[in-house]
Amino acid sequence: MLATSSILGLFWRRSFLGGLIMGCGIETSSHKYGLFQHVCVSFELVLADGSLVWCSKDENPNLFYAIPWSHGTIGFLVSAEIRIVKASHFVRLNYIPVQSKDELIRRFQQECEGQENDFVECLVFSQSRGVIMAGQFTDGCEPDKVNVISRFWKPWFFTHVRKYLTLTDSSGVVAVEYIPLRDYYHRHTKSIFWELQDIIPFGNNCLFRYLFGWLVPPPISLLKLTQTETTKKLYELHHVVQDILIPLKQLSDALTLIDREVKLYPMWLCPFKLMSTPGFVHPASDQDEMYVDIGLYGNPQVKPYIAKDCIRKIEQFARETHGFQMMYGDTYMTKDEFHEMFDHNLYNKVRKSLGHCEEAFPEVYDKVSKAARK
């Protein structure tokens, strides 16, 4: 029997469970299962005093719920128990182009609510146009519709999706493909979403793919290692890598704001169920709520683009709508604003209760904020 984590997939080949748990992990199945932290059953950690502790929602629950998003500021994660689900050999993927913002939001919400969908995402190519993809696990397939997208000569996935923008069908579904499960999980890996088009502009050329496609993607660690300080500064000032998590009901206003402030396309939309559990992130009410991750990766088309000013406006919008910013991206929030966005009550309580924790580990803001590290 094949088995997979209920939230695997869009985690690069060099990603590790520690980062998905202590940071954040999300996939296109998150509309059913929540974030990666929500499929975790228990954690085992080494604390600052050298002790080995085990925690779950039933045993030592405060520690269990304080770990996600803590970025290693409570202890060292050494093991985790996670739930898995039965997997299939293929994902049956439906491509649904939309031609207006209202249609995009309506159909996106409809697919999120569809009980038959195991996977849902959307690539937005302009303020009014995008392609929604809804997928289901399946072991059977139609041989003429199988697309092994991992083959090195295949076009980058986002360019493959974009070609469906101009097609129409009365049902909304203009094409169906059967993608092998592993290929589906790594559909955005080859082109690092669409970041590789800025690094290797000719990388999707058919000749390059045939001759050198097996070399991509380059390891992120190598790209960082070969960056000069000047390149790094230019990258920070003229490039965006952010994931903003907001309630799905706020998506229309968010798309308008992002188009005005950064005008960055394609844009990734990934829905997820935010569980009403203790910890850094939870809905404003005591009920689970559908959220959406808005992935912004690339060079903004707004001129002039002032990174700090634009990102601060997006951060403010997230705070006002009870949204969140993934902590891996550059944050320009003050410490007070950061505490307004993320619920620190349980986190602070746990850190105070653990011996030597506050002396051994920095607070999470001091670890993720460049301003705090200066």
Side-chain angles (χ1 to χ4, degrees):
M1 183 187 80
L2 291 173
T4 181
S5 162
S6 47
I7 309 176
L8 252 177
L10 209 44
F11 306 136
W12 312 116
R13 294 182 178 95
R14 298 170 182 83
S15 293
F16 299 96
L17 287 181
L20 303 177
I21 293 169
M22 289 192 161
C24 181
I26 189 171
E27 234 295 1
T28 51
S29 54
S30 291
H31 67 292
K32 295 180 69 172
Y33 301 106
L35 299 173
F36 195 86
Q37 68 198 65
H38 299 129
V39 302
C40 294
V41 176
S42 67
F43 304 131
E44 195 171 22
L45 299 99
V46 175
L47 301 180
D49 61 4
S51 60
L52 182 67
V53 298
W54 184 86
C55 60
S56 70
K57 65 178 182 179
D58 299 314
E59 184 173 331
N60 207 352
N62 282 352
L63 180 59
F64 176 76
Y65 287 116
I67 291 302
W69 295 74
S70 65
H71 285 256
T73 60
I74 291 178
F76 298 101
L77 183 69
V78 294
S79 71
E81 180 183 2
I82 62 175
R83 297 196 305 273
I84 60 174
V85 296
K86 183 179 182 298
S88 299
H89 290 89
F90 295 96
V91 173
R92 183 183 188 274
L93 198 61
N94 302 290
Y95 295 91
I96 309 165
V98 288
Q99 306 299 332
S100 72
K101 187 169 74 168
D102 289 344
E103 182 189 4
L104 186 155
I105 292 170
R106 179 191 62 77
R107 189 62 187 256
F108 187 64
Q109 186 165 357
Q110 177 183 325
E111 298 301 330
C112 292
E113 295 170 352
Q115 295 300 308
E116 73 281 5
N117 290 329
D118 296 303
F119 307 97
V120 178
E121 71 179 318
C122 178
L123 297 189
V124 183
F125 292 97
S126 72
Q127 191 178 13
S128 59
R129 305 178 76 201
V131 178
I132 297 167
M133 287 158 281
Q136 303 88 34
F137 277 127
T138 181
D139 284 317
C141 69
E142 300 171 64
D144 61 326
K145 294 183 178 180
V146 173
N147 187 0
V148 186
I149 58 177
S150 64
R151 288 173 176 161
F152 66 83
W153 63 84
K154 290 278 188 170
W156 293 344
F157 185 68
F158 78 94
T159 64
H160 173 67
V161 174
R162 186 165 54 198
K163 74 181 185 183
Y164 293 116
L165 272 176
T166 57
L167 303 181
T168 59
D169 186 272
S170 58
S171 68
V173 179
V174 299
V176 175
E177 290 185 324
Y178 294 83
I179 301 177
L181 181 60
R182 182 175 176 82
D183 289 48
Y184 176 80
Y185 278 158
H186 286 286
R187 64 201 178 281
H188 293 303
T189 300
K190 183 167 28 176
S191 57
I192 319 178
F193 280 92
W194 31 89
E195 289 274 58
L196 204 58
Q197 67 181 350
D198 295 324
I199 301 170
I200 309 176
F202 47 84
N204 199 43
N205 178 278
C206 58
L207 182 61
F208 180 90
R209 294 199 311 267
Y210 272 102
L211 295 177
F212 304 108
W214 56 277
L215 288 171
V216 299
I220 300 297
S221 56
L222 176 63
L223 295 176
K224 289 183 176 180
L225 183 66
T226 54
Q227 269 188 338
T228 65
E229 284 302 316
T230 301
T231 304
K232 189 181 297 183
K233 189 67 175 177
L234 288 171
Y235 186 84
E236 292 172 358
L237 293 176
H238 303 289
H239 196 86
V240 175
V241 181
Q242 294 280 348
D243 280 87
I244 307 298
L245 319 179
I246 61 160
L248 181 56
K249 62 189 178 186
Q250 302 291 344
L251 180 56
S252 178
D253 290 341
L255 293 178
T256 299
L257 172 68
I258 291 168
D259 183 77
R260 183 177 70 242
E261 296 299 329
V262 293
K263 199 176 287 293
L264 178 55
Y265 300 101
M267 183 191 307
W268 187 54
L269 302 184
C270 181
F272 69 96
K273 184 186 296 184
L274 185 58
M275 309 296 188
S276 180
T277 55
F280 268 111
V281 298
H282 52 75
S285 70
D286 58 358
Q287 301 293 318
D288 298 345
E289 185 174 350
M290 192 64 72
Y291 271 59
V292 59
D293 175 3
I294 303 177
L296 305 172
Y297 323 118
N299 297 323
Q301 298 306 304
V302 165
K303 305 297 180 186
Y305 171 71
I306 310 299
K308 183 176 180 179
D309 294 347
C310 292
I311 298 303
R312 277 192 58 80
K313 289 177 183 177
I314 294 173
E315 290 170 341
Q316 180 182 357
F317 176 84
R319 291 195 306 274
E320 290 174 348
T321 57
H322 202 77
F324 311 95
Q325 175 188 38
M326 281 199 191
M327 297 182 190
Y328 79 85
D330 290 337
T331 178
Y332 296 97
M333 289 185 284
T334 65
K335 196 165 190 174
D336 286 343
E337 291 169 340
F338 189 81
H339 280 246
E340 180 186 345
M341 177 177 286
F342 297 102
D343 185 347
H344 281 61
N345 290 324
L346 181 62
Y347 172 76
N348 290 339
K349 179 181 177 181
V350 168
R351 276 173 55 89
K352 289 181 183 298
S353 69
L354 300 175
H356 306 293
C357 181
E358 292 180 309
E359 305 97 80
F361 301 113
E363 189 178 324
V364 65
Y365 177 79
D366 297 329
K367 186 171 183 178
V368 303
S369 169
K370 290 183 180 179
R373 294 197 301 268
K374 289 181 179 178

